[in-house]
Amino acid sequence: MSSADPPPEGRQEAEATGEFGLLSPGRAGSAVEAATGDRAFLTAMLDAEAALARAQAALGLVPAEAADAIGAVASADLFDVRALARDARAGGNPVIPLVAALTERAGTDAVHRGATSQDILDTAAMLVAARARRLILADVDRAIAALGALAAAHRDTPMAARTLTQHAVPTTFGLKAAGWRAQLTAAGDRLAALRLPAQLGGAGGTLAAFEKLSPQAGAGLALLAGYARELGLAEPALPWHASRVPVAELGSTLALVTGALGRIAVDVLVLCRTEIGELAEGGGGPSSAMPHKSNPVRATLVAAAARQAPALAAVLLGALAAEDERPAGAWHAEWQPLRELLRLTGGAARDTAELVERLIVRPDRMRENLHRTGGLLASERLAGALTPELGRDAARALLRDAAQLATRDGVPLADAVHATAPLPPSLSVERLRELTEPTHYTGAAGPLTDRALSDHPRRHEEDPRAAPPT
């Protein structure tokens, strides 16, 4: 079967390759998985070729009927993805066999005129990224909305803040959720604002072949502008064959988004521990061996994605060291890591949205854990009350000794302080107990939550430079 022959009826990409995401459950079945598959990349390459022909026809560089003929057959249904992949080995990229197959089907030599393989593949990557970005941001916005609701509902729900794995001072769950939301909003906005440019430069990035096709000066630059418009992508100032900033920046931003999602996941994983039990996943996953378990599977998958994303982004950053006017190996190395980053981010965004929309919050367990150390979480507040009476050094020494007594004997901090040293009447044991009540020492957690929620994240509006999904 040749690359130009259609695949058998009903044959699917995954069935042809045997690749269903068995070892990648975090992205399996997600909208972004489908939007970044081989078929999606083939569609994007065909879209790029058809857009190039239309833009050339608009400038009189190819006949209009040739552009129409190319557009009429630029459908992934008419090509065998697996045959193209196999034939790509000869030239090192899939554009070469695709151009041959598209030329055969269109019946015109106007296909790909003046372009180089990297023009089409880089542009296709940006198209795929633009289409996947819309899907990712939709789930990011779902998560942001759910986090805002959690923060508002639990503005004053006290819990223990933890630093270096230990109880530190009291905080509120509302402030924690507001922090998750703020970080995810900032990362999502970075992704939404990225310019995703088309690529067109010809053999050496000079647009020489396009200039040659027209008697009019400046035809190459006019074509570049028209090509970008046809695709709904940003117009680059220069061809970026060896300037891999657009891909590196995209990869870094995807890792940033996945990291923001991962922060939520790892916090949930800690707070879902049996011995903590302050949160639980709604509809957790089963264990293969222990019937009693309800595992936090969504948080687990998101955390796994966040741990993989930086290494993939590092490959894209490494490709910045690209030689000559077109590098050997640098842009080739980007293809799979970029696709995997899009998929990991898309799956993690979907799973996070589901996680926070169904998250079970247990205020009673938070309060129980808050009181677990008998007022030690409020030692900072108590130090502030003791210092004017005893002096800073004496107050700190007293609290150190009292904390050790409270921990050793399991008594409340107030009682331990009272038993450790004589205190003035103003610091009675009743007053000490009031000062060490953790729920009375949440500081500005409520107002900080209000301020975070008043800074409404803009919805990620449709980017006019991003091509719509196909």
Side-chain angles (χ1 to χ4, degrees):
M1 179 180 293
S2 73
S3 299
D5 293 328
E9 184 67 22
R11 181 174 174 183
Q12 299 297 318
E13 173 191 332
E15 293 170 350
T17 63
E19 207 286 303
F20 293 89
L22 183 66
L23 301 183
S24 304
R27 54 89 164 167
S30 69
V32 174
E33 180 184 50
T36 55
D38 283 356
R39 184 181 177 84
F41 268 89
L42 173 58
T43 296
M45 287 188 285
L46 290 167
D47 289 345
E49 292 286 5
L52 176 61
R54 290 195 302 271
Q56 288 178 322
L59 294 173
L61 305 184
V62 301
E65 55 270 24
D68 290 342
I70 293 168
V73 296
S75 169
D77 292 336
L78 301 177
F79 298 86
D80 183 348
V81 180
R82 188 163 193 161
L84 288 169
R86 183 183 60 246
D87 295 345
R89 289 187 54 80
N93 75 74
V95 178
I96 296 172
L98 177 62
V99 169
L102 182 58
T103 299
E104 179 184 340
R105 283 207 164 273
T108 172
D109 62 0
V111 174
H112 198 72
R113 184 171 291 178
T116 191
S117 296
Q118 191 175 356
D119 289 333
I120 301 304
L121 200 45
D122 279 350
T123 297
M126 291 295 105
L127 278 174
V128 167
R131 293 162 181 172
R133 175 171 64 175
R134 290 170 177 260
L135 302 172
I136 292 168
L137 290 176
D139 282 332
V140 165
D141 282 344
R142 279 178 58 202
I144 289 171
L147 289 170
L150 281 172
H154 294 280
R155 175 190 186 273
D156 300 313
T157 299
M159 66 177 297
R162 295 169 173 89
T163 62
L164 303 182
T165 76
Q166 304 297 298
H167 280 200
V169 294
T171 185
T172 67
F173 182 66
L175 184 58
K176 179 178 282 289
W180 293 342
R181 176 182 178 272
Q183 184 172 341
L184 183 56
T185 298
D189 285 349
R190 287 282 295 275
L191 180 60
L194 276 184
R195 293 180 78 253
L196 302 178
Q199 172 77 285
L200 191 64
T206 64
L207 300 169
F210 305 120
E211 293 282 332
K212 181 72 172 177
L213 288 171
S214 173
Q216 299 180 355
L221 292 177
L223 177 62
L224 177 58
Y227 181 56
R229 282 196 304 272
E230 286 283 345
L231 293 163
L233 293 172
E235 179 187 349
L238 297 171
W240 44 281
H241 293 146
S243 177
R244 310 309 295 166
V245 171
V247 177
E249 188 175 34
L250 173 59
S252 299
T253 305
L254 289 169
L256 179 69
V257 172
T258 309
L261 297 167
R263 182 207 169 181
I264 299 168
V266 296
D267 265 353
V268 170
L269 288 171
V270 168
L271 298 177
C272 279
R273 289 178 181 272
T274 303
E275 59 270 27
I276 297 176
E278 295 176 1
L279 298 176
E281 274 198 15
S287 164
S288 64
M290 294 164 282
H292 68 280
K293 292 189 71 180
S294 179
N295 294 320
V297 290
R298 291 182 183 85
T300 297
L301 294 175
V302 175
R307 287 172 169 86
Q308 295 174 74
L312 294 167
V315 175
L316 304 183
L317 291 168
L320 287 168
E323 75 283 359
D324 300 327
E325 278 62 56
R326 183 175 310 116
W331 62 286
H332 305 74
E334 296 168 345
W335 306 337
Q336 191 61 23
L338 177 60
R339 167 154 67 182
E340 192 61 21
L341 263 175
L342 288 166
R343 288 178 163 185
L344 283 172
T345 309
R350 173 199 61 181
D351 289 341
T352 301
E354 294 177 358
L355 168 67
V356 295
E357 285 172 347
R358 303 175 65 184
L359 191 65
I360 298 171
V361 182
R362 294 172 171 162
D364 291 346
R365 193 62 179 265
M366 291 178 176
R367 186 178 292 269
E368 177 185 339
N369 288 335
L370 195 62
H371 287 92
R372 184 177 298 277
T373 55
L376 286 173
L377 272 79
S379 62
E380 183 182 62
R381 183 188 189 199
L382 189 53
L386 291 174
T387 296
E389 301 285 349
L390 307 177
R392 187 180 67 176
D393 292 343
R396 290 176 64 86
L398 170 59
L399 280 174
R400 183 185 63 244
D401 294 342
Q404 291 175 351
L405 174 62
T407 302
R408 186 190 67 211
D409 295 349
V411 299
L413 178 61
D415 294 349
V417 169
H418 196 264
T420 299
L423 296 174
S426 59
L427 293 173
S428 64
V429 69
E430 289 76 15
R431 174 60 177 158
L432 293 174
R433 287 171 181 164
E434 191 277 329
L435 289 170
T436 55
E437 169 53 48
T439 61
H440 297 169
Y441 193 60
T442 56
L448 284 170
T449 302
D450 294 339
R451 182 161 74 169
L453 296 181
S454 68
D455 181 20
H456 296 292
R458 65 172 179 79
R459 298 297 294 176
H460 300 294
E461 298 175 357
E462 298 296 334
D463 186 342
R465 299 164 301 199
T470 57

